[in-house]
Amino acid sequence: MNNTTISGALLKEMFLTGAALLEKNKAYVDSLNVFPVPDGDTGTNMSMTMQSAVKEIKACNGGSTVGEVAAAASLGALKGARGNSGVILSQIFRGFAKALKGCEEMDAELLANALRMGTESAYKAVMKPKEGTILTVSRMISTAVEGEFNQGANVFGLIDVMIESGEEALRQTPELLPVLKEAGVVDSGGKGLMTIYRGFKMVVDGDAIDDYVAEQQEAVPPEDNDLSLEDVNDIKFGYCTEFFVIHLVESFTEGDLEKFRDKLMKIGDSVVVAHDADFIKIHVHTNMPGKALQLALCLGELDKVKIENMREQNRAIQENIKKNETENAMVAVSAGEGMDSEFTGAGVGVIISGGQTMNPSIDTIAKAIRKANARNVFVLPNNSNIIMAAQQAAELSDRNVIVIPTKTMMQGMAAAMAYAPENTPEVNRKRMEKAVANVVSGAVTYAVRDTSCNGLTIAKGDIIGLKDNAITSVGKTVEDATLSLIEKMLEDREEAMVTLYFGEGVTEEQANELSERIMAKFPDTEIIAIPGGQPLYYYYISVE
């Protein structure tokens, strides 16, 4: 190993180990979430983003240079980015890819540039950057590293600086963001980033993580060349080529097979080479099917050759899609069978399973937009942590995508009810945004740890009520916490319509009994209870 540079192979191991370390520590990163609700939040989102990056790195045909590794990490992270933290992480890696493009190895100057460009890219991706977050940690690291580089530090010394400055930045996050200080935690996104960078340092120091990365190797892909509507938009290699090699040459060895497989990887992807006692089965997607056949002739005779033009299949599918395209459609993120049914009944054409417990990735949202098959697609994220991913998916789409920035399921339901397919996109947007502004959202769940928030002291197991995502009530029973929450939601309203969507673990009888208590306390209020089936949340509540 060169004493002053990092090779492509070493950078690859750094990314894989960073992902493995984050996977091991994601529960702890989740526990740093400011709101003590049982969400699969920052640690899970960042880990899934990293796993997508790892998958792309492993699938990279090149990967011998730092530029190729960084490009694969950037692409994979963007495809699989989940939640705000995942999107920001993908932008950091995007900066890495820009800085390292075309580079064989990474020296101190390139590392400093990668960190700086990663920070710049992440800040640009956030409409209103907040200090005391992962952005601050990234910025303080890049500033410290650039300073030490100017003092003559080499690339390995700069990795030590990354850890030292990053930990100091993390310690400062509660001072920069009061909500962190009140909850007594550091920023979870910053902690996730530092966990990844600690994985980088482990590789440089020669430390291992119990062979964790090796155990996560991808299985050989099945021999499946079926095209789906979600996969045909970007065909890099156009010919699905399958054939057998029979009557193998007498001099054939396993070494010849490995060389042949390596050559196929250079001219295509989706390579499967299965060797039996007296024949070889080959499957490859390539732009040079003739070359694949020519290479195979060195091993024996060809048999049962099949070459299919996937681009032509794509054209036929796309033409069929176009025939069935509609003018307008809605896509919504939902959790629970009842909530899914309510959104479908309100006219939503495509449901994305997700929300608090699982933030869908940019790629998942983009696929849902394509599946909607309309010229104008309205997307309802229904969670503040999904809005940025939805906006990124909209930018990647070739459709007119309008993201209505709904932060709760109740806002999403109000927007969906205001939508009318016969209206123009602009009229629908205005109607939906107005409906969102007029609804008060509530949710009732349980605290997963002791904390303090908004002046309230909360113990693990307490029932907490959230009004428009802010904790406003705490109780020992679901009924008491819900009544207290609804009282706050009905402030300054003489008449109102209250809808209760009861979740898993709440029976219809319990929901009806609660409805009666609400009507007794607020006689001028209309109330309806609907089975939502949502996990983790006893009730979703809307007041209109």
Side-chain angles (χ1 to χ4, degrees), residues 481-499:
T482 305
L483 282 169
S484 177
L485 171 62
I486 289 176
E487 185 173 0
K488 291 179 173 61
M489 294 174 70
L490 288 172
E491 287 177 348
D492 303 323
R493 288 177 181 253
E494 295 182 2
E495 297 180 356
M497 176 68 189
V498 177
T499 306

Side-chain angles (χ1 to χ4, degrees), residues 19-20 125 133 157 175 180 182 239 257 365 391 404 506:
T133 65
E175 303 302 321
L180 296 176
E182 184 179 6
Y239 296 94
L257 192 65
I365 298 170
Q391 290 168 339
I404 306 297
V506 178

Side-chain angles (χ1 to χ4, degrees), residues 137 140-141 160-173 186 190-191 193-195 197-198:
V137 176
M140 292 182 70
I141 289 173
D160 290 335
V161 175
M162 286 172 62
I163 302 302
E164 294 167 6
S165 60
E167 290 297 337
E168 176 58 28
L170 200 58
R171 284 192 290 270
Q172 291 184 29
T173 55
V186 296
K191 182 63 178 178
L193 182 64
M194 285 308 303
T195 304
Y197 285 167
R198 281 200 171 276

Side-chain angles (χ1 to χ4, degrees), residues 305-451:
V305 177
K306 183 181 73 171
I307 301 173
E308 294 182 341
N309 185 342
M310 295 191 295
R311 292 191 179 95
E312 184 59 27
Q313 292 175 339
N314 181 18
R315 293 184 191 102
I317 292 173
Q318 294 297 336
E319 184 62 31
N320 188 52
I321 290 174
K322 204 163 187 177
K323 287 179 181 177
N324 296 306
E325 187 179 62
T326 60
E327 186 66 25
N328 299 306
M330 283 191 292
V331 170
V333 178
S334 177
E337 290 184 8
M339 296 303 300
D340 293 352
S341 178
E342 289 297 309
F343 275 116
T344 300
V348 172
V350 181
I351 299 291
I352 303 172
S353 295
Q356 294 294 89
T357 55
M358 179 63 71
N359 295 159
S361 69
I362 293 171
D363 193 44
T364 298
I365 298 170
K367 287 178 179 178
I369 291 169
R370 291 202 296 272
K371 187 176 180 181
N373 194 27
R375 283 177 279 278
N376 306 294
V377 181
F378 292 85
V379 179
L380 307 175
N382 299 338
N383 187 298
S384 57
N385 205 34
I386 302 175
I387 293 173
M388 186 183 291
Q391 290 168 339
Q392 292 279 330
E395 290 182 10
L396 296 173
S397 177
D398 59 355
R399 309 300 174 96
N400 178 33
V401 180
I402 303 97
V403 177
I404 306 297
T406 50
K407 298 180 180 179
T408 68
M409 292 290 175
M410 298 302 91
Q411 288 183 357
M413 193 64 68
M417 295 295 290
Y419 164 89
E422 66 274 10
N423 288 337
T424 65
E426 184 59 21
V427 169
N428 265 325
R429 182 186 65 78
K430 290 179 179 179
R431 285 171 54 91
M432 295 167 83
E433 289 178 349
K434 182 178 179 180
V436 169
N438 288 337
V439 70
V440 181
S441 302
V444 181
T445 185
Y446 58 92
V448 294
R449 59 178 172 82
D450 297 342
T451 189

Side-chain angles (χ1 to χ4, degrees), residues 19-230:
L21 192 62
L22 181 58
E23 176 67 18
K24 278 185 169 288
N25 291 278
K26 66 182 180 183
Y28 174 69
V29 177
D30 281 343
S31 73
L32 299 176
N33 295 328
V34 173
F35 288 133
V37 295
D39 300 353
D41 206 355
T42 307
T44 300
N45 287 337
M46 293 184 74
S47 182
M48 295 185 77
T49 302
M50 281 299 291
Q51 294 304 321
S52 182
V54 164
K55 183 178 180 181
E56 196 72 30
I57 290 170
K58 289 179 179 179
C60 180
N61 290 337
S64 59
T65 71
V66 293
E68 291 167 338
V69 172
S74 173
L75 178 60
L78 182 60
K79 282 183 177 179
R82 294 177 182 269
N84 292 347
S85 55
V87 173
I88 292 170
L89 182 62
S90 74
Q91 297 305 300
I92 290 173
F93 291 162
R94 183 183 181 188
F96 277 37
K98 287 182 179 179
L100 300 177
K101 184 177 181 180
C103 298
E104 292 281 334
E105 297 187 329
M106 180 169 65
D107 58 12
E109 182 177 10
L110 283 174
L111 176 58
N113 289 341
L115 292 167
R116 174 179 53 79
M117 294 178 73
T119 298
E120 292 172 352
S121 186
Y123 268 88
K124 288 178 182 177
V126 180
M127 292 295 291
K128 296 180 180 179
K130 284 186 178 179
E131 295 303 329
T133 65
I134 182 175
L135 296 172
T136 303
V137 176
S138 181
R139 176 177 57 77
M140 292 182 70
I141 289 173
S142 61
T143 299
V145 165
E146 191 162 21
E148 289 299 315
F149 163 68
N150 291 332
Q151 296 298 316
N154 67 23
V155 68
F156 298 106
L158 292 186
I159 290 177
D160 290 335
V161 175
M162 286 172 62
I163 302 302
E164 294 167 6
S165 60
E167 290 297 337
E168 176 58 28
L170 200 58
R171 284 192 290 270
Q172 291 184 29
T173 55
E175 303 302 321
L176 297 170
L177 201 58
V179 69
L180 296 176
K181 190 171 185 178
E182 184 179 6
V185 296
V186 296
D187 178 65
S188 54
K191 182 63 178 178
L193 182 64
M194 285 308 303
T195 304
I196 295 167
Y197 285 167
R198 281 200 171 276
F200 285 14
K201 180 171 168 54
M202 289 180 71
V203 173
V204 171
D205 291 346
D207 297 331
I209 312 181
D210 301 326
D211 297 323
Y212 178 83
V213 175
E215 293 172 3
Q216 297 298 307
Q217 293 293 329
E218 295 289 328
V220 175
E223 296 181 48
D224 182 5
N225 63 309
D226 292 337
L227 292 175
S228 72
L229 299 185
E230 298 173 346

Side-chain angles (χ1 to χ4, degrees), residues 267-336:
I267 64 169
D269 64 5
S270 298
V271 174
V272 177
V273 178
H275 177 216
D276 206 319
D278 54 358
F279 68 88
I280 304 168
K281 171 69 183 296
I282 293 97
H283 172 274
V284 60
H285 293 174
T286 179
N287 289 328
M288 296 182 285
K291 182 68 172 179
L293 297 176
Q294 184 181 8
L295 291 170
L297 283 171
C298 297
L299 304 179
E301 299 176 8
L302 304 183
D303 187 36
K304 296 184 175 66
V305 177
K306 183 181 73 171
I307 301 173
E308 294 182 341
N309 185 342
M310 295 191 295
R311 292 191 179 95
E312 184 59 27
Q313 292 175 339
N314 181 18
R315 293 184 191 102
I317 292 173
Q318 294 297 336
E319 184 62 31
N320 188 52
I321 290 174
K322 204 163 187 177
K323 287 179 181 177
N324 296 306
E325 187 179 62
T326 60
E327 186 66 25
N328 299 306
M330 283 191 292
V331 170
V333 178
S334 177

